[in-house]
Amino acid sequence: MILRSAPLALGLALSAIPAAAVAQPVTDAASGTAEQTSLFAAELRDARAFVDGMIGEGVVVPVPKDPGGGYTHEQHKRNYRALQLGGRLYSLTGERKYADYVRDVLLAYAKLYPKLDDHPAKANQHPGRLFWQVLNDAVWLVHAAQGYEAIRDILPQGERRIIDENVFRAAARFLAVDSRATFDRIHNHATWAAAGVGMTGYVLGDQALVDLALRGSDGTGRTGFLRQVDELFSPDGYYAEGPYYQRYALLPFLVFADAIERREPGRRIFERREGVLLKALDTTIQLTYGGCFFPLNDALKDKCLRTDELYEGVAIGYARTKAPGLLSIAQWQGRTVLTAAGQALSMDLADGKARPFPFRTTLLRDGPGGEKGALAVLREGAGFDGSALIAKNTSQGMGHGHFDKLGWQFYDNGNEVVTDYGAARFLNIPAKEGGRYLPENETWAKQTIAHNTLVVDGKSHFGGDPELAERHAPRQLAFVESDRLKLSAAEIDSAYPGVRMQRVLALVRLSDIAEPLVVDVLRSESETAHVYQLPLHFNGHIMRSGFVRTSFTQARPVLGDANGLQHIWIDARGQPKSATDGFLTWLTGDRFYTARWIPQSGATVLIGESGANDPDFNLRREPMVIQQVSAVRSPVFVTVLEPHGRYDGAAERTDESESRVASLSHQRSGQYDLVTVERRDGRKHTLAISWVDDPDRDHTAIIEGRDVVWRGFAALVDNPRENAP
Amino acid sequence: MILRSAPLALGLALSAIPAAAVAQPVTDAASGTAEQTSLFAAELRDARAFVDGMIGEGVVVPVPKDPGGGYTHEQHKRNYRALQLGGRLYSLTGERKYADYVRDVLLAYAKLYPKLDDHPAKANQHPGRLFWQVLNDAVWLVHAAQGYEAIRDILPQGERRIIDENVFRAAARFLAVDSRATFDRIHNHATWAAAGVGMTGYVLGDQALVDLALRGSDGTGRTGFLRQVDELFSPDGYYAEGPYYQRYALLPFLVFADAIERREPGRRIFERREGVLLKALDTTIQLTYGGCFFPLNDALKDKCLRTDELYEGVAIGYARTKAPGLLSIAQWQGRTVLTAAGQALSMDLADGKARPFPFRTTLLRDGPGGEKGALAVLREGAGFDGSALIAKNTSQGMGHGHFDKLGWQFYDNGNEVVTDYGAARFLNIPAKEGGRYLPENETWAKQTIAHNTLVVDGKSHFGGDPELAERHAPRQLAFVESDRLKLSAAEIDSAYPGVRMQRVLALVRLSDIAEPLVVDVLRSESETAHVYQLPLHFNGHIMRSGFVRTSFTQARPVLGDANGLQHIWIDARGQPKSATDGFLTWLTGDRFYTARWIPQSGATVLIGESGANDPDFNLRREPMVIQQVSAVRSPVFVTVLEPHGRYDGAAERTDESESRVASLSHQRSGQYDLVTVERRDGRKHTLAISWVDDPDRDHTAIIEGRDVVWRGFAALVDNPRENAP
């Protein structure tokens, strides 16, 4: 092979290597304009520093021993990063030391790998060889294959054969054959395995391995990568497990698809299902606020767009779409990848081509055919710090799913306001169950009471049975997007036997009020009486309540003994009589929030906090308010969340710390629900809900003695004084 | 008077006004280079927007009614800001509308002011007229006088007399005569009053008012501004109330001093007491971490250098000193003031003259003569995110003082780690006791148990009596600053009758460990037995403890019934046997911290949380660990706090989440205390304390059978293996 050296603005020798040997070749034309200060230049510097450091340490390939977070686990992770980056550095610079290092590491793995059996720290039924779970072994292979691809051509045949056989074929065999139970799933773990096996196939020139990866063990296509593309994303690019795993799953999808596109462009992989893979990238970014993922299902809240998966994903996506919004994401990330795609992105960013990413109000259907409910994202204002209401009407999302049908979250002013706990886990921290999911993930984080949705008779949805839950999804009833009203409505009748729940969640803009209000109408219907509990988990410091509280100041009772209730301390209890005193105001960041509701007759409101029955300090302690009512058949819960005012500690100024809402009322008129917000200044606004999802159908109801007409599923109606010309 | 117009890069007409009429005249030379993007240009834009908005609203001078945070309170605050900025805008631009507006507002005050009596929302013995407390009236006058100064010369004599008499003389009389009890204090409230009265004197050309301000009501100088300069700051520029009030007090000191310097330069006010006022500015900035003030005594934690007081202070200080570190502070603030000083600062900043502010390890003596203890600030690493240990060996600091003699705080890696609660107050939030100090400020925030210092027999220092506390201060025994060891030692024998407490707090750097460790040696001596409780309040999520815990998972007991103990829930209890299991590890930000201690014989350790007996949700809920021992005379508490490792959620990496310390030992050898840190790698280091503050005196002790010699109060001694060549 021939190395061509060319001067480069970076002061490095750039080498063009035969295309077949390079993951994504860097063109000379492109490299000429790279700058010292660009994202790409920084990546090059950082990669050099990291790999040079690894070279300085010598080849260290320890016998696997530790679980996540332990020494051998972390060393094998560093190694796969060094293999990938070493290969890329060799491709970019032509410096032989990088190729030699990649080779030496792979030869060390070639000695170790054949001797390995199940990992000694295995903790589930899917043990790995190098790592405690097979998933990490697949991730290792995806990275190692990229490194090997860059150097394989220059190796003498003997070394090549040793590495081919003892590392890559062995690892591919382990993933595809020995771990077939994982390999043949329709699940992100299987996607990583398919990507590892398929990319190995491309590197070794072994089409049989590629086919295995694409069409599954039995070659029928009932499993394998293509089936995963078809089934794991909805038509809107939503991934059933939720954003946290969508982010994680995205990398093998895009990296393997990128390899397929280069090796077998005839497959038109990026056009499959109307471009679902690139839709999935866009959707992944739509599923963020302030750059971080909505923590639906099992999710760690510190996971944001600043992750390796999204550096790769944004670069690959930008190379395919040239969408200028992706450049602003790259800018926020402050990172890119050491590939031609990363370099091109970096140059366009430096050329000022970035535009704000188009965060939008969107309904993302769930399920392969879009038939398993949906996630509704309602936004007002700027994407990074405006308002975002998320209505979770999706399917269960497999083993990492939480039991929170029709739940919701709300962000505003840069903060989480109505919160989801996410997962109970300290990733890779040995003292916390080896960094795995904590027991409290099952006993608290997954349970219905830990979410903002209805708990019936103290139990979780589907009795907490994930297999039952997997068989049912909510039905999205409507999705409205207009100037002053954005609304999602959904229902489910299978979460509790004999109970039908319908929920409208809306973001409404009232005249002369800058911040949108959330209106929440939750109807529950049953033939029999139940105990209902509706929690609202929030982030903030309580300022005041409208109702008289009985406080448990010396001994706080625990709410219950199972299904998550055992983790809730009760701070106080009250019995508001109407929406005039049925409210709680808290402060989040520099803004106040008032949650106001129409109390059920005889209902109690509880102010509580998570953290009871947590001897190992595994839970965060977070506040909540719970509406609770017994012996009722079909309650309608109406809640309004109002952002208001400003607290400026530096300037010692406080504005509008009191709610501007005086009261709420709810009226059932035939099949219609009419929720009226009465403001302190006397103005009134009614959210009129027809429950009929026909945008051309007119409806009439009498509000305060006056005929009101609206069209479609729901509308925001101002009272006459407002409507006067 | 003559208005000279000159073209300005800002596109504004700049007017030079006779010097006597302008607070700080803007020179033509300076203004020529101002840029659109400079701090000053931004201030000009913002001030125009604000004052133009106020002009648009018309003159609104309501009859006083509301307490802090309420409408009339906030409107009068907006008015004084508009008066000050309106005056400055008129001086800068010569635009008559600003002068007219200032005049109209003052004429409105001239109508209102003579009718006022005590404020209807008065809540203490120092009521104001326009505001609920006289302090705010003084602040109003300081600002209004600056606005009036800019326009008084152009007013017709009739208007001038009305405003002179009905506003300024009346307000000065109210402050100096009617509120003489406040005016003649040696206290920051009196400084504001003196500044208001004195600046009024300059504006009206009334030297008698100036003298009253400078020398107090009786003209003897036993009170008044000069005496305040002499008494309220220590020789090191430390203000007895602490950083939060130092920041607040600084403004009238500097603004009035600036006026004195301009009007009566012969007084050499900035040279008084070896330049104590400029030292006070430097000290104010030294008393910050991450830009925010150490929350000693009554302090709100959201108070940072980004406040009006410091914008003025930094500009005045820079004009006098040209210290380039102040420019980097202005840069961090992103703000300056609309004066010649602000403009000059803005230009030098734009010219790249900024240098990092020299945060340093420093001992700040307290008391007018430096005789009332000291605040020790020990730093390692960068000022904004390195390590900072604060040892509070200061005097009580008057009514806002907390009962925490020999307490400490620790910052590291950009976070508060060992915390001080600060004040229990939500400033200006009406729902929280009108924004005043909350009852829990007395029952919790001021109490000793809420701090990181020793509680004897369940009581607070000085029995919680502020007057008794005011009469005693700790004695600073030593202050050591060397490469590997920074140390403060102090003692007090008056906090509890018959109990002498001595405490060494040190920041030590051990070989091959990047982060400095804190070593805390607290000796308590008494003739009689006591119950001792030593709390450590921290910020973070508990990862693990070394000892077996008994957890209160269903009902948490409350620690006590008075002196702050009633606000502590107990989560768990344990009885570690040695420093091997006597530790607690938590995670703060992305770094782990392990507090490790040598348990007293028979001692219990409690893990607790604030928030019990808090029916109004006035307290933040924060964790703590408490060493508790009964029936002991003279315990020695030895604690080591070790920052270690890194948690990277984005990269899913965890390093060194386990402490690198294996154990601790303490040896009393004659009068010496020897604390040895044994590392897991076998290395040992001893902090040898002679308690003799003579840097030239040698000491010898036997450590592990070996004679060890050190010089001075204390030294860090490595074990032989480390010392071997």
Side-chain angles (χ1 to χ4, degrees), chain B residues 202-224:
Chain B
Y202 284 132
V203 174
L204 304 188
D206 181 340
Q207 191 64 34
L209 275 182
V210 174
D211 289 344
L212 192 63
L214 292 175
R215 305 182 55 80
S217 291
D218 64 4
T220 62
R222 281 183 308 157
T223 66

Side-chain angles (χ1 to χ4, degrees), chain A residues 77 302-303 427-428 430 432 541-542 549 553 556 571 609 613 615-617 619 621 647 649-650 652 654, chain B residues 77 302-303 427-428 432 541-542 549 553 556 571 609 613 615-617 619 621 647 649-650 652 654:
Chain A
K77 281 175 69 179
D302 49 10
K303 216 37 141 172
L427 191 66
N428 282 347
K432 293 295 191 186
H541 195 117
I542 294 174
R549 297 183 302 264
T553 55
R556 301 197 290 183
D571 279 289
E609 190 184 51
N613 282 296
D616 294 325
F617 299 96
L619 293 178
R621 295 168 177 189
Y647 170 71
E652 305 191 357
T654 300
Chain B
K77 282 175 69 178
D302 49 10
K303 217 36 141 173
L427 193 65
N428 282 347
K432 292 297 190 186
H541 194 117
I542 294 173
R549 296 183 303 264
T553 56
R556 300 197 290 184
D571 279 289
E609 189 184 50
N613 281 295
D616 294 326
F617 299 95
L619 293 178
R621 295 168 175 188
Y647 171 70
E652 306 191 356
T654 300

Side-chain angles (χ1 to χ4, degrees), chain B residues 51-229:
Chain B
V51 179
D52 289 353
M54 293 292 284
I55 292 173
E57 289 173 23
V59 173
V60 180
V61 176
V63 175
K65 174 174 150 293
D66 303 322
Y71 165 71
T72 70
H73 181 95
E74 294 300 328
Q75 181 61 26
H76 288 295
K77 282 175 69 178
R78 293 173 79 216
N79 281 345
Y80 72 59
R81 222 180 120 222
L83 287 171
Q84 183 201 47
L85 290 176
R88 287 179 177 176
L89 283 170
Y90 175 63
S91 297
L92 280 168
T93 70
E95 289 180 41
R96 184 66 192 220
K97 68 174 178 180
Y98 294 119
D100 290 348
Y101 174 72
V102 169
R103 177 200 60 203
D104 293 347
V105 173
L106 289 174
L107 286 171
Y109 274 104
K111 278 198 189 130
L112 173 73
Y113 203 90
K115 297 180 203 155
L116 298 179
D117 201 339
D118 280 358
H119 191 282
K122 67 179 176 179
N124 58 27
Q125 62 277 53
H126 309 293
R129 289 271 194 269
L130 296 169
F131 298 92
W132 65 279
Q133 60 174 352
V134 64
L135 169 64
N136 300 84
D137 276 58
V139 174
W140 185 94
L141 187 56
V142 167
H143 287 77
Q146 293 175 62
Y148 190 38
E149 182 177 26
I151 67 150
R152 186 170 179 274
D153 281 2
I154 63 165
L155 295 187
Q157 204 177 340
E159 288 178 353
R160 203 190 296 173
R161 209 183 53 235
I162 289 169
I163 295 171
D164 280 4
E165 296 305 317
N166 292 355
V167 180
F168 287 94
R169 267 188 223 289
R173 194 180 316 117
F174 169 65
L175 292 179
V177 180
D178 303 343
S179 306
R180 181 169 169 173
T182 297
F183 189 74
D184 279 345
R185 291 173 75 189
I186 303 297
H187 185 278
N188 84 72
H189 290 201
T191 310
W192 279 101
V197 170
M199 291 170 75
T200 294
Y202 284 132
V203 174
L204 304 188
D206 181 340
Q207 191 64 34
L209 275 182
V210 174
D211 289 344
L212 192 63
L214 292 175
R215 305 182 55 80
S217 291
D218 64 4
T220 62
R222 281 183 308 157
T223 66
F225 185 75
L226 297 177
R227 184 63 171 247
Q228 288 158 14
V229 173

Side-chain angles (χ1 to χ4, degrees), chain B residues 289 378-382 385-389 410-413 507 516:
Chain B
Y289 183 88
L378 313 179
R379 293 189 189 259
E380 282 282 354
D385 62 0
S387 307
L389 188 165
F410 183 63
Y411 296 85
D412 185 56
N413 193 31
L507 211 49

Side-chain angles (χ1 to χ4, degrees), chain B residues 377-590:
Chain B
V377 182
L378 313 179
R379 293 189 189 259
E380 282 282 354
F384 265 70
D385 62 0
S387 307
L389 188 165
I390 296 100
K392 193 194 184 212
N393 308 325
T394 57
S395 69
Q396 184 68 11
M398 299 179 271
H400 290 298
H402 287 196
F403 300 97
D404 59 343
K405 300 296 139 190
L406 312 192
W408 66 294
Q409 298 169 45
F410 183 63
Y411 296 85
D412 185 56
N413 193 31
N415 296 303
E416 274 187 279
V417 176
V418 172
T419 60
D420 188 303
Y421 190 88
R425 182 183 193 187
F426 291 90
L427 193 65
N428 282 347
I429 295 184
K432 292 297 190 186
E433 300 273 333
R436 295 183 288 272
Y437 285 100
L438 296 164
E440 290 75 11
N441 195 54
E442 298 295 323
T443 62
W444 169 250
K446 283 186 173 177
Q447 300 294 329
T448 303
I449 193 76
H451 299 83
N452 304 300
T453 189
L454 198 60
V455 175
V456 179
D457 298 330
K459 298 192 170 57
S460 282
H461 294 174
F462 305 106
D465 176 350
E467 292 181 15
L468 176 61
E470 199 62 54
R471 293 201 292 274
H472 301 278
R475 192 161 70 90
Q476 185 75 27
L477 298 174
F479 186 72
V480 176
E481 184 179 0
S482 65
D483 179 36
R484 292 179 57 200
L485 173 66
K486 297 182 170 65
L487 177 147
S488 158
E491 69 174 11
I492 190 165
D493 59 7
S494 49
Y496 295 105
V499 178
R500 184 168 79 136
M501 299 188 284
Q502 295 179 310
R503 191 169 206 169
V504 166
L505 281 159
L507 211 49
V508 304
R509 283 193 21 235
L510 305 187
S511 34
D512 304 324
I513 293 186
E515 304 85 10
L517 276 65
V518 177
V519 180
D520 169 22
V521 182
L522 174 54
R523 302 184 56 85
S524 183
E525 290 180 5
S526 177
E527 301 284 309
T528 53
H530 298 280
V531 176
Y532 289 99
Q533 291 169 314
L534 181 60
L536 186 75
H537 298 266
F538 62 93
N539 167 33
H541 194 117
I542 294 173
M543 293 289 109
R544 61 175 296 212
S545 64
F547 52 90
V548 176
R549 296 183 303 264
T550 303
S551 295
F552 302 101
T553 56
Q554 299 254 13
R556 300 197 290 184
V558 173
L559 182 57
D561 54 15
N563 306 320
L565 279 62
Q566 75 274 26
H567 289 300
I568 298 176
W569 297 113
I570 302 175
D571 279 289
R573 186 172 62 194
Q575 291 200 300
K577 296 287 163 274
S578 74
T580 304
D581 65 335
F583 73 85
L584 188 74
T585 299
W586 66 84
L587 177 65
T588 309
D590 65 358

Side-chain angles (χ1 to χ4, degrees), chain B residues 311-428:
Chain B
Y311 306 146
E312 292 279 358
V314 167
I316 292 171
Y318 184 71
R320 300 279 159 211
T321 65
K322 299 290 173 192
L326 290 175
L327 294 178
S328 74
I329 297 298
Q331 189 164 35
W332 186 83
Q333 292 173 319
R335 294 284 306 273
T336 188
V337 287
L338 267 193
T339 63
Q343 189 170 29
L345 172 150
S346 175
M347 282 191 303
D348 283 358
L349 181 58
D351 285 352
K353 294 184 182 167
R355 296 290 173 272
F357 186 84
F359 288 102
R360 62 182 187 271
T361 292
T362 184
L363 183 70
L364 301 165
R365 290 167 294 165
D366 190 11
E371 75 293 359
K372 292 189 174 178
L375 190 79
V377 182
L378 313 179
R379 293 189 189 259
E380 282 282 354
F384 265 70
D385 62 0
S387 307
L389 188 165
I390 296 100
K392 193 194 184 212
N393 308 325
T394 57
S395 69
Q396 184 68 11
M398 299 179 271
H400 290 298
H402 287 196
F403 300 97
D404 59 343
K405 300 296 139 190
L406 312 192
W408 66 294
Q409 298 169 45
F410 183 63
Y411 296 85
D412 185 56
N413 193 31
N415 296 303
E416 274 187 279
V417 176
V418 172
T419 60
D420 188 303
Y421 190 88
R425 182 183 193 187
F426 291 90
L427 193 65
N428 282 347

Side-chain angles (χ1 to χ4, degrees), chain A residues 3-17 26-28 31-32 36 40 44 48 87-98 343:
Chain A
L3 288 178
R4 255 190 311 132
S5 284
L8 181 58
L10 291 164
L12 300 168
L14 179 84
S15 307
I17 300 187
V26 175
T27 67
D28 286 341
S31 59
Q36 289 280 10
F40 189 77
L44 194 51
R48 270 189 184 278
R88 287 178 177 177
L89 284 170
Y90 174 64
S91 297
L92 281 167
T93 68
E95 289 178 42
R96 183 68 193 217
K97 68 174 177 180
Y98 294 119
Q343 190 170 27

